[in-house]
Amino acid sequence: MKTAREIIENYDGPDVRIMEVCGTHTHEIFRLGIRKLLPKQVELISGPGCPVCVTPVSFIDEAIYLALEKGVTICTFGDLVRVPGSQMSLAGAREKGAKIHIVYSPADAEKYAKDHPEEQVTFLSVGFETTTPAGCLSVKQAKEDGISNYSLLVANKTMPGAYEALKGSADVFLYPGHVNAITGTRLCEALTEEGVSGVVAGFTAKELMTALAVALVKFQEGKPFFVNCYPRVVTQDGSREAQLLVDEMMEACDCEWRGLGVIPKSGMKLRQEWQEFDARLKYQMPKIEGKPNPACRCGDVLQGKCKPSDCKVFGKGCTPQHPIGACMVSGEGACSAYYQYS
């Protein structure tokens, strides 16, 4: 029986484009040297699975508005601090006096609010199905602690709408294992009926190699397919506890994705009974329209329309030290992976 490496290196089938939906997959495939094993007819392209990358410019502008105009302390993951807004980044706002506090989880942000009752605190809640439950838990804890100085600026997204929007952009999706650990595999199975093929992949070298080998073997059969190559973590039903928690506290809404535009019902917002923790409502935030830098091609990268190296400013005007777009900032961004490993 052939090994996964032998299947990949000796692939002699038709040209195939495989989209790494998850930014962590992009980085790990580079880091592990797997790209060097691929024959010329196998092309890996990046997708929209980096939460920082798909967060639109307007969200950064909203956070800066809260920090500079409303005097709110912003708690955020570190990746978001240097993402450019229309006029500046959160790092730039900090230079103007904004209070920006780096945290490692929503629970840290809630604790900060509890320990600093004199400050109004907002956590920048971004991410997909994997991280949304943690944001919900922080709001529940704030309710239990009886604190009123904590809120979320929500930009959480769900992947089903993105898969629909990206149909036809790749031959095979490399589905993110951590998202499917929450959602299960039923959606991916259903997508095969719409002609969408994919495999769920883990994050170790063996798991990634296995997923790619399975994708190449199945692709040659010439019909839509789905295979769960991460069964030690991913089940058909996913985490019912996480799903019920999010359903209890949040509801779907239309949502803007960088590069993909507004995708109906692809975002999340707090339900009415939890709206006291919704920063947009709490601070009566006006509608803010973001203006991305026209030189940035992050949107095209996230749709698989181009590779980061195709962008004219890649590695020149846009570097990790001086990023023009979110994909160069984030630790899961495709541009940062290409810059670091290519």
Side-chain angles (χ1 to χ4, degrees), residues 18-26 45-50 128 159 162-163 166 172-176 179:
I18 301 175
M19 176 176 279
E20 311 146 332
V21 175
C22 172
T24 302
H25 281 160
T26 300
I45 58 175
S46 301
C50 164
F128 303 115
M159 290 306 301
Y163 295 144
L166 289 166
V172 183
F173 284 143
L174 198 64
Y175 290 121
V179 170

Side-chain angles (χ1 to χ4, degrees), residues 32-313:
L32 294 167
I34 294 174
R35 281 177 174 264
K36 297 178 181 178
L37 305 178
L38 302 177
K40 65 181 186 304
Q41 65 268 43
V42 179
E43 181 183 9
L44 294 181
I45 58 175
S46 301
C50 164
V52 172
C53 301
V54 297
T55 300
V57 172
S58 58
F59 181 79
I60 303 299
D61 293 344
E62 287 179 318
I64 291 170
Y65 170 85
L66 289 177
L68 292 180
E69 301 298 327
K70 297 296 184 178
V72 174
T73 297
I74 298 297
C75 286
T76 179
F77 299 133
D79 276 4
L80 277 172
V81 173
R82 295 173 57 245
V83 174
S86 297
Q87 303 295 329
M88 68 184 84
S89 64
L90 287 166
R94 183 164 54 191
E95 293 174 1
K96 293 179 177 292
K99 192 158 189 179
I100 311 297
H101 183 67
I102 306 299
V103 295
Y104 295 98
S105 71
D108 291 343
E110 190 274 340
K111 184 177 185 302
Y112 181 91
K114 183 178 179 181
D115 293 343
H116 297 80
E118 74 284 358
E119 298 179 34
Q120 290 295 321
V121 178
T122 294
F123 174 70
L124 303 187
S125 186
V126 302
F128 303 115
E129 289 90 341
T130 317
T131 55
T132 303
C136 291
L137 285 174
S138 75
V139 169
K140 269 202 165 183
Q141 188 62 52
K143 187 88 166 181
E144 292 177 12
D145 289 340
I147 63 175
S148 59
N149 64 324
Y150 180 66
S151 61
L152 300 184
L153 185 62
V154 180
N156 294 86
K157 295 172 171 59
T158 56
M159 290 306 301
Y163 295 144
E164 291 286 345
L166 289 166
K167 279 195 300 187
S169 61
D171 298 304
V172 183
F173 284 143
L174 198 64
Y175 290 121
H178 42 21
V179 170
N180 285 96
I182 301 297
T183 64
T185 62
R186 294 187 187 275
L187 168 68
C188 302
E189 293 167 19
L191 283 171
T192 61
E193 298 175 8
E194 301 178 31
V196 177
S197 296
V199 294
V200 177
F203 300 92
T204 67
K206 182 178 180 180
E207 288 163 346
L208 285 165
M209 292 282 285
T210 297
L212 288 169
V214 168
L216 294 178
V217 170
K218 297 293 289 184
F219 182 70
Q220 293 181 83
E221 295 177 4
K223 58 184 179 181
F225 63 86
F226 168 75
V227 181
N228 178 12
C229 296
Y230 198 26
R232 70 183 179 89
V233 173
V234 175
T235 64
Q236 188 174 52
D237 292 324
S239 172
R240 291 295 297 151
E241 293 83 357
Q243 294 166 20
L244 290 170
L245 172 66
V246 174
D247 287 345
E248 173 195 349
M249 300 185 64
M250 289 192 171
E251 60 185 348
C253 62
D254 297 347
C255 185
E256 181 185 355
W257 297 58
R258 188 189 299 263
L260 299 178
V262 176
I263 301 178
K265 303 300 182 183
S266 66
M268 303 298 290
K269 66 178 181 179
L270 288 166
R271 292 187 181 274
Q272 185 173 358
E273 52 268 39
W274 299 94
Q275 285 182 355
E276 64 191 278
F277 298 98
D278 187 327
R280 292 185 179 92
L281 298 176
K282 182 174 184 176
Y283 299 104
Q284 300 180 337
M285 189 180 296
K287 178 69 175 176
I288 296 177
E289 299 285 349
K291 297 179 181 179
N293 189 316
C296 177
R297 295 194 67 188
C298 278
D300 290 335
V301 170
L302 294 168
Q303 296 177 78
K305 290 182 177 180
C306 77
K307 294 181 179 179
S309 52
D310 296 331
C311 178
K312 291 182 179 179
V313 296

